[in-house]
Amino acid sequence: MSARLSRTSRPSCPPSPTGSPSCGATPPIAAAHETEPDVRYIRQEIFEPIGTEGQHKISAASAAIVGCGALGTNIANNLARSGVGRLRIIDRDFVELDNLQRQVLFDEDDVRRRMPKAAAAVEHLRRANSVIRLEAEVCEISSANIARLIAGCNVVMDGTDNVEARLLLNDACLASATPCVFAGAVGATAVTMTLVPGQTPCYRCLMPELPAPGTTPTASTAGILHSTTAVVAALQCTAALRLLIGAFEPSDEVLCVDVWDRELTRRRLPRRPDCPACAHHRYEFLNAAPVERDTAPPGTNSVRLAGRLDADPGCLAEAWRGAGTVVLNDWLVSLRVGEHEVIVFRDGRCIVKGTADPAAARSILNRLLSLAR
Ligand SMILES: [Zn+2]
């Protein structure tokens, strides 16, 4: 990570507290709600347990959606259309072709434009609901930024795909007394549980320790059905609406779904009296120093490189002109040469596609950087 390139002007979209462009602006055209009676949420208001009063609470609420993949897109789609007043969508990745099977907010144009998932989700959802506030955070969550990212939110929605991220979320939500609706899905099965700090068991009661790398199946290694994530995300969003209107009954249950065998079961999750997080308030994942390491997620043939490249995407795009296929947007630049692709985000993160070997990835990065004129 030795490249030093001068910076060009920033994109016109103003930066958010995490450095990525913020997308809360109102579109300039007249929206449907300005020209027609405001009946947007009428079916939801007719539903007696919510009613007009419940809808007002939903419209006044804020939610953070952490991870905008299969779960996160279904969650964001549901909560935006349900009228949650402010949605902060947080994701580190960009849209790829193999996401489209289940990540409902994205399309082939997002793939071509290498759109970050959070920004693409906001772009699509703004067309569905222009009266709520939508914020995109294109960044990797860590112990250094998670408290800021969920600050001010009434509920946190887990759209992540790994235990480490959930344990961090669990700590952050306990520390800030914020409810969190967790879920995990692989193949045709999924589980979901809702943490209400002080009232329910927490995620660490379910998963006391971090499993060894590569020992738990993921969507990349064991596959995933669209219906699995759609069903469990719907259950998560229903729990969120109940939380937001004050109709959630805290429980010590984990809900388990198997969409292939058509099973929905409840299992008791006892609160662990020795749980470091919810019993002793020791937030080991939140208080740990952020650790960066090269990671090669199984089944993706790509490497996320540790460290930050001090190079502006706009400058790189200019310098790479003619070297291969270059895509530039407000958040990243990508260069594809043959079977290899390098993606450099505005915050300096780098992903190399076409290998799962970190050493080879660094070599590819250096080779492609050397093509810069
Ligand atoms: Zn616990």
Side-chain angles (χ1 to χ4, degrees):
M1 299 291 178
S2 57
R4 291 282 190 279
L5 297 178
S6 61
R7 294 198 170 261
T8 58
S9 59
R10 307 285 292 183
S12 55
C13 209
S16 71
T18 52
S20 52
S22 172
C23 294
T26 304
I29 56 171
H33 71 280
E34 294 171 349
T35 56
E36 300 170 16
D38 192 0
V39 294
R40 185 188 300 266
Y41 307 120
I42 191 70
R43 299 292 191 280
Q44 198 162 277
E45 292 176 17
I46 291 171
F47 180 63
E48 192 271 334
I50 291 182
T52 307
E53 188 183 341
Q55 189 60 48
H56 285 319
K57 291 178 181 173
I58 291 167
S59 297
S62 298
I65 300 167
V66 183
C68 195
L71 288 173
T73 50
N74 275 288
I75 293 166
N77 188 40
N78 188 318
L79 295 187
R81 290 171 191 275
S82 297
V84 175
R86 189 184 68 162
L87 291 179
R88 182 175 297 156
I89 301 173
I90 304 155
D91 195 280
R92 64 183 179 179
D93 268 327
F94 61 96
V95 182
E96 299 185 76
L97 189 59
D98 65 1
N99 301 150
L100 302 188
Q101 166 244 357
R102 64 204 177 281
Q103 301 187 14
V104 291
L105 292 176
F106 308 138
D107 59 30
E108 293 177 6
D109 194 45
D110 297 321
V111 177
R112 274 190 290 275
R113 293 190 294 151
R114 293 290 186 268
M115 280 294 286
K117 292 181 179 180
V122 163
E123 202 174 275
H124 288 278
L125 288 173
R126 186 169 290 136
R127 290 199 282 272
N129 192 341
S130 62
V131 301
I132 60 171
R133 182 171 178 83
L134 293 158
E135 301 169 358
E137 294 285 355
V138 182
C139 64
E140 180 138 23
I141 64 164
S142 73
S143 57
N145 65 12
I146 189 63
R148 186 175 73 247
L149 288 168
I150 67 170
C153 291
N154 304 99
V155 65
V156 173
M157 306 299 290
D158 169 27
T160 67
D161 61 359
N162 66 87
V163 174
E164 188 171 7
R166 288 187 202 109
L167 287 167
L168 176 62
L169 264 190
N170 187 63
D171 277 3
C173 287
L174 283 168
S176 61
T178 309
C180 183
V181 189
F182 288 100
V186 66
T189 61
V191 296
T192 179
M193 61 170 284
T194 299
L195 161 68
V196 181
Q199 299 182 49
T200 66
C202 76
Y203 182 72
R204 198 157 181 196
C205 292
L206 177 69
M207 191 65 70
E209 300 300 334
L210 202 54
T215 58
T216 49
T218 68
S220 297
T221 58
I224 185 85
L225 295 182
H226 183 159
S227 48
T228 310
T229 44
V231 166
V232 76
L235 293 170
Q236 284 181 276
C237 291
T238 309
L241 293 186
R242 291 188 72 132
L243 280 164
L244 296 179
I245 67 170
F248 186 80
E249 294 165 9
S251 77
D252 59 357
E253 287 178 347
V254 175
L255 211 49
C256 308
V257 184
D258 186 324
V259 295
W260 196 256
D261 287 336
R262 294 176 295 146
E263 288 178 359
L264 181 64
T265 53
R266 295 173 170 183
R267 292 187 191 152
R268 280 208 63 222
L269 169 67
R271 193 169 180 173
R272 288 177 52 221
D274 61 341
C275 176
C278 70
H280 297 299
H281 309 291
R282 284 203 318 270
Y283 306 127
E284 294 165 355
F285 293 89
L286 181 62
N287 293 330
V291 177
E292 289 209 17
R293 55 186 180 273
D294 295 342
T295 54
T300 64
N301 199 33
S302 66
V303 179
R304 297 173 181 281
L305 293 173
R308 294 287 188 270
L309 190 70
D310 184 17
D312 180 85
C315 289
L316 274 178
E318 182 63 27
W320 273 337
R321 201 143 43 106
T325 305
V326 177
V327 177
L328 173 69
N329 59 45
D330 283 346
W331 296 268
L332 59 82
V333 62
S334 89
L335 170 65
R336 184 175 188 87
V337 179
E339 62 186 6
H340 297 131
E341 181 175 0
V342 167
I343 298 94
V344 180
F345 287 83
R346 187 164 291 281
D347 65 8
R349 290 179 296 121
C350 294
I351 297 174
V352 176
K353 292 172 61 71
T355 180
D357 174 22
R362 288 195 176 276
S363 170
I364 292 164
L365 174 66
N366 288 332
R367 181 169 61 81
L368 296 192
L369 285 174
S370 73
L371 299 177
R373 291 181 288 115

